[in-house]
Amino acid sequence: GEIPLDFTIKHPLQNTWSLWFYDNDRTKTWEENQIELTTFDCVEDFWRLYHHIKQPSELRQGHDYAVFKQGIRPMWEDDANKMGGRWLISLEKKQRNSDLDRFWLDVILLLIGENFDHSEEICGAVVNVRGKLDKIGVWTADTSKQQANLEIGRKLKESLGIHGKIGFQLHRDTMVKHSSATKNLYTV
Amino acid sequence: GTRIVYERSYLMSLRQSP
């Protein structure tokens, strides 16, 4: 039968993205546990990767995935993140089976599809699988760009269908306090 | 400049591409 034209070509992405995995091996340092698994620069390679790996809900607690623009490490210390922050979406344990995986996929699709007006401010996204609260963070480069960060937050809420408020935290505040005690610079 | 933008629905439609 006929193959749709869209299935015969590769669709390039605006950016090349890296998938990272945080291993949580107690014998290693935090940095050593951050593993850059692979990169992808077209839609087809993203889907091939996505279908190959476990969903966040299947990961053991203490593990993370991160999807960041190539060259940006998923850590505060990276030059691209030093002046930045994150929109934080917290999920209760009961949401692990209903919302975690679809929120994570929708966040990645927003990122790689450049669906924010201010996509240039996006560094990447992280999903933390934890005991009490799972977290998804969308990291941006410059906390002083109010309009850009607010646009990103509103787009996230709208696309994921989140009804409650979400907050934006500076990395330098999160560094010194646990995320639940960190003040929000912005809220939408 | 120009930017390559894909909406969610289009990305999802390519999910089953061989």
Side-chain angles (χ1 to χ4, degrees):
Chain A
E2 268 184 39
I3 300 172
L5 179 65
D6 268 348
F7 283 4
T8 63
I9 58 172
K10 280 196 160 187
H11 295 73
L13 297 173
Q14 176 69 34
N15 283 286
T16 301
W17 297 84
S18 293
L19 173 67
W20 296 73
F21 176 70
Y22 181 76
D23 193 21
N24 201 27
D25 181 344
R26 309 267 167 154
T27 67
K28 293 183 186 163
T29 65
W30 187 89
E31 249 186 83
E32 285 169 345
N33 270 313
Q34 281 285 10
I35 302 163
E36 186 177 11
L37 292 177
T38 190
T39 61
F40 55 92
D41 62 5
C42 68
V43 177
E44 288 72 18
D45 287 349
F46 163 69
W47 282 124
R48 187 178 308 123
L49 173 64
Y50 182 80
H51 290 137
H52 190 72
I53 60 174
K54 288 182 178 178
Q55 298 284 306
S57 63
E58 297 171 296
L59 296 178
R60 289 203 312 268
Q61 281 165 190
H63 289 160
D64 303 343
Y65 279 136
V67 172
F68 271 68
K69 288 175 178 172
Q70 189 182 35
I72 303 177
R73 295 168 301 155
M75 48 190 79
W76 303 317
E77 296 84 350
D78 192 279
D79 285 343
N81 292 318
K82 273 182 184 158
M83 303 305 294
R86 63 175 180 172
W87 283 104
L88 187 63
I89 300 161
S90 297
L91 295 101
E92 294 170 10
K93 207 161 177 181
K94 64 183 179 185
Q95 292 177 276
R96 187 171 290 171
N97 291 327
S98 56
D99 296 334
L100 181 63
D101 295 341
R102 69 182 183 88
F103 276 10
W104 178 238
L105 176 59
D106 283 353
V107 163
I108 297 176
L109 296 182
L110 283 171
L111 262 55
I112 69 174
E114 308 288 330
N115 279 278
F116 300 100
D117 291 343
H118 295 279
S119 279
E120 71 282 357
E121 293 299 317
I122 295 287
C123 294
V126 182
V127 58
N128 309 120
V129 180
R130 298 291 182 270
K132 276 191 180 170
L133 283 178
D134 298 326
K135 296 188 286 284
I136 294 174
V138 175
W139 290 34
T140 68
D142 187 344
T143 60
S144 70
K145 294 191 177 170
Q146 183 179 22
Q147 288 312 311
N149 282 303
L150 286 173
E151 180 268 328
I152 288 166
R154 289 189 199 110
K155 182 73 178 181
L156 272 174
K157 259 192 82 160
E158 171 197 308
S159 300
L160 272 56
I162 294 170
H163 300 296
K165 289 196 183 299
I166 58 171
F168 180 87
Q169 303 168 341
L170 284 72
H171 293 318
R172 62 171 187 264
D173 285 348
T174 310
M175 273 187 235
V176 296
K177 277 188 182 161
H178 193 272
S179 63
S180 59
T182 305
K183 271 193 294 196
N184 293 322
L185 179 62
Y186 307 117
T187 311
V188 292
Chain B
T2 55
R3 197 169 63 181
I4 306 173
V5 178
Y6 298 101
E7 290 198 356
R8 181 187 181 278
S9 55
Y10 188 67
L11 290 171
M12 293 295 285
S13 76
L14 296 176
R15 193 169 181 169
Q16 301 304 325
S17 167

